[in-house]
Amino acid sequence: MNSKLIEKATELRNKGLTTGEIADELNISKDTTQWLIMQMTTVNKTKQKPDDFAINWRTIGSSSTRMQYISSALADLALEEEVIDVVVGISVSGVPFATMMADLLDAELSVFHPIKHMKNESAQGALSNNFANIKNKTVVIVDDVITSGTTVTDAITVCKAHGAKPVAVTVLVDKKGINDLNNVPVKSLIKINKVG
């Protein structure tokens, strides 16, 4: 595993970020994050290396113009399903895409806080009260990367529990090659599939 990635994970941990926040920042799974952090200690160095890919989309995220282009492509994917009332961005990295998509789709914006960002990981994530109400509305859920599908599955469950109809999930990169979660289509710009 890349020693710079180990150093970055440890640096973020030392700044007080949770495992879930570090995973989001580095676009890796929580298991991979835990493994990276453990590499800086002498304990558990024998634990098997996780099977994961680190995604660095800084060249996109550092440019509002590139973000707009990507958001436009994600909005186009969402429109393959039906008219969208609310775009639900998964915090943190899905929110910029969702914000631009809501503007492009003339839709409302909502924000989902995943379990992995919560200090005492509750049973499920939560929708922010500062944004649109999703009850009785069609929604598209937006994130940057699907690593295991757990966060997106949680977002779908919470949206349904709030009376919304999730019609699609759009992501920049899908590391699992998922076609749907809980009967909601997953549409990615890039789908990573292992061969062999």
Side-chain angles (χ1 to χ4, degrees):
M1 185 59 70
N2 186 329
S3 64
K4 288 184 181 184
L5 202 54
I6 293 168
E7 290 172 18
K8 185 65 177 170
T10 303
E11 174 189 323
L12 293 170
R13 170 65 87 202
N14 291 339
K15 288 182 179 179
L17 273 69
T18 66
T19 302
E21 290 167 330
I22 296 167
D24 264 3
E25 192 67 26
L26 300 178
N27 290 307
I28 56 178
S29 70
K30 284 177 64 175
D31 289 341
T32 301
T33 301
Q34 291 169 338
W35 184 86
L36 289 171
I37 292 167
M38 289 177 9
Q39 298 314 296
M40 293 303 281
T41 67
T42 56
V43 180
N44 291 324
K45 279 201 175 188
T46 59
K47 186 175 179 182
Q48 184 177 351
K49 195 185 301 186
D51 185 25
D52 198 359
F53 300 93
I55 305 293
N56 180 346
W57 54 269
R58 182 170 306 197
T59 55
I60 295 168
S62 64
S63 166
S64 61
T65 301
R66 292 183 198 124
M67 289 288 291
Q68 288 173 342
Y69 290 138
I70 297 297
S71 297
S72 179
L74 291 171
D76 184 59
L77 289 173
L79 286 175
E80 290 179 347
E81 294 306 313
E82 60 183 272
V83 175
I84 307 298
D85 298 317
V86 181
V87 180
V88 179
I90 296 178
S91 180
V92 170
S93 297
V95 174
F97 293 117
T99 302
M100 292 180 191
M101 287 175 64
D103 185 48
L104 291 165
L105 297 170
D106 195 28
E108 294 178 284
L109 175 67
S110 185
V111 173
F112 178 77
H113 299 287
I115 297 168
K116 63 185 175 183
H117 290 183
M118 298 180 181
K119 297 288 185 219
N120 62 352
E121 298 184 0
S122 64
Q124 59 185 194
L127 290 164
S128 173
N129 292 322
N130 295 324
F131 296 90
N133 183 336
I134 64 170
K135 187 173 184 173
N136 299 321
K137 296 181 181 172
T138 58
V139 302
V140 61
I141 298 167
V142 182
D143 206 358
D144 62 335
V145 177
I146 289 180
T147 299
S148 67
T150 303
T151 299
V152 172
T153 300
D154 187 34
I156 292 168
T157 301
V158 170
C159 286
K160 287 179 178 178
H162 279 81
K165 178 185 173 191
V167 295
V169 172
T170 63
V171 295
L172 176 61
V173 178
D174 174 4
K175 296 194 309 187
K176 284 292 192 189
I178 298 170
N179 292 321
D180 70 78
L181 289 167
N182 290 359
N183 298 316
V184 177
V186 174
K187 298 171 174 286
S188 61
L189 293 178
I190 300 167
K191 201 175 281 281
I192 297 173
N193 293 312
K194 278 193 168 184
V195 178

